[in-house]
Amino acid sequence: MGIAMALDEAGPISALSIREETFSLPIADAYELLHASSSDVDTYAKVTALMKAGKAKIERLLILRTKSGQRAVVESIDELRYATEYNVAAHVPAPALPPAAGNSVPKTPEPARTIVTEKPYATTFETRNVGDTLEIEPVIGPDGVTIDLNLVPQSVRFAGYQQPTGESWVQQPLFETQKLTTGVSVSAGEPYLLGTLNPPFGNSLAMEKTEHRIWLDFLTVDIVPIQRPELKSKILDVAKAITIPKLDFREATLTEALEFLRSKSRDLDPRKEGINFVLKVPPSFSQVKITISLINVPLLEAVKYITNLASLEFSVEENALVVHPKGERF
């Protein structure tokens, strides 16, 4: 006979707290670390230890909260505007010559003149977002622990200007882009190695780099319950309103006693919803024997008597009464 929490019609209300962390370390150290680690959790622990020891650096940290099934985006960017097209030869009207001395108007009109300039000027511009972006859509699985995610982490850096060449005599900006597009399944609370986001190296375009470093990108998703006081109040009101006509246990187990209260509360509740119970105790407690005899006792009082006899206590949550060891809260 089991005790389980039944959810309300809206289902459990939870937020997802998503944390993306990117660490960098020399390529040789990264190779050794990845081949020596037994799991992503182990890799994360070793990387953070290296960071604290000054042997690794954290390059980016993004935190985003959303709900299951909701697409969300966090951006930390600057907008860089730059010219893409130029005009290099312009015919500019020349100013009219002044009239000759003593004459207010020239006798013969001067022919129209133009001045040709070779100085370029910009005619078309573009804007590029420079910084960090995380686009994500998470879905909590049926087990309440596994989270499926579609995500796109991206980092764009301004790397300087490309020097003019024979074909391009105007400096153009260079950008470094690191981007992952993937779908994964992770366990709540456990770091997951998404992959590497390595800056371009040795392509002679970007700014000079003195060391080849590897960036390891980790994602950690935590499920954060959202407290709804009105639901707790609803559970409490129902528990107070229901009266059990007769309660008579002789060496009943704790599990059997709570199952009896759950069943009777559903029978006596006008809406037939009743009260659900969650038993969060060590296995030995579920077999504690309960002996008690009461008449016309409010359900809430009956729960107090039963949990006290078992040296336990209970708390009111959104969807159930949670029975647990004394001093613990859920």
Side-chain angles (χ1 to χ4, degrees), residues 19 40-41 44 145 186-193 219-222:
R19 184 174 73 252
D40 288 355
V41 175
Y44 179 83
V145 176
V186 304
S187 295
E190 292 187 1
Y192 185 92
L193 178 60
L219 192 77
T220 306
V221 183
D222 293 307

Side-chain angles (χ1 to χ4, degrees), residues 29-298:
D29 293 344
Y31 177 87
E32 181 178 350
L33 173 69
L34 293 174
H35 282 77
S37 298
S38 59
S39 66
D40 288 355
V41 175
D42 184 37
T43 303
Y44 179 83
K46 290 178 178 178
V47 169
T48 53
L50 289 173
M51 181 192 68
K52 293 176 182 177
K55 298 180 180 179
K57 295 191 300 183
I58 184 164
E59 300 288 350
R60 58 186 251 160
L61 170 63
L62 294 177
I63 296 177
L64 174 63
R65 284 195 170 188
T66 185
K67 61 183 181 180
S68 180
Q70 176 67 53
R71 176 182 173 273
V73 179
V74 59
E75 295 180 330
S76 179
I77 60 174
D78 289 320
E79 293 184 353
L80 179 61
R81 191 167 184 261
Y82 59 97
T84 57
E85 294 183 9
Y86 293 83
N87 193 331
V88 296
H91 294 270
V92 182
L97 295 175
N103 296 324
S104 58
V105 178
K107 294 181 179 180
T108 303
E110 291 287 334
R113 300 185 308 132
T114 59
I115 298 175
V116 178
T117 176
E118 294 298 328
K119 185 177 181 180
Y121 64 92
T123 58
T124 305
F125 294 85
E126 289 186 4
T127 299
R128 184 76 179 270
N129 291 337
V130 179
D132 299 318
T133 303
L134 174 61
E135 180 180 344
I136 194 164
E137 183 175 347
V139 177
I140 300 176
D143 61 2
V145 176
T146 303
I147 301 103
D148 297 324
L149 306 112
N150 292 314
L151 68 159
V152 182
Q154 179 174 260
S155 181
V156 179
R157 297 285 182 267
F158 172 62
Y161 286 98
Q162 186 176 4
Q163 295 301 318
T165 64
E167 296 180 356
S168 175
W169 44 264
V170 177
Q171 286 186 331
Q172 286 293 304
L174 288 172
F175 300 96
E176 293 180 350
T177 300
Q178 301 158 272
K179 181 178 180 180
L180 284 173
T181 302
T182 186
V184 298
S185 295
V186 304
S187 295
E190 292 187 1
Y192 185 92
L193 178 60
L194 288 173
T196 60
L197 289 171
N198 306 328
F201 189 83
N203 55 13
S204 74
L205 292 177
M207 298 175 68
E208 188 67 23
K209 299 181 178 66
T210 58
E211 182 183 26
H212 193 171
R213 299 179 70 85
I214 295 295
W215 289 25
L216 303 180
D217 194 35
F218 288 90
L219 192 77
T220 306
V221 183
D222 293 307
I223 299 176
V224 183
I226 298 176
Q227 298 298 325
R228 296 196 292 180
E230 70 278 7
L231 291 185
K232 286 189 176 184
S233 178
K234 175 185 174 182
I235 290 286
L236 194 58
D237 290 342
V238 172
K240 289 178 179 178
I242 294 175
T243 298
I244 307 295
K246 185 178 181 180
L247 193 64
D248 191 7
F249 295 141
R250 293 290 183 268
E251 295 294 309
T253 65
L254 177 62
T255 302
E256 291 171 340
L258 294 178
E259 175 62 22
F260 173 82
L261 294 181
R262 184 199 65 79
S263 178
K264 292 298 289 185
S265 69
R266 182 168 296 178
D267 292 340
L268 298 172
D269 184 358
R271 295 175 300 176
K272 301 304 178 183
E273 293 180 359
I275 297 295
N276 294 288
F277 295 87
V278 174
L279 193 57
K280 291 190 174 182
V281 297
S284 59
F285 276 90
S286 62
Q287 298 304 313
V288 170
K289 301 300 183 181
I290 304 295
T291 298
I292 191 173
S293 182
L294 299 169
I295 296 177
N296 294 327
V297 58

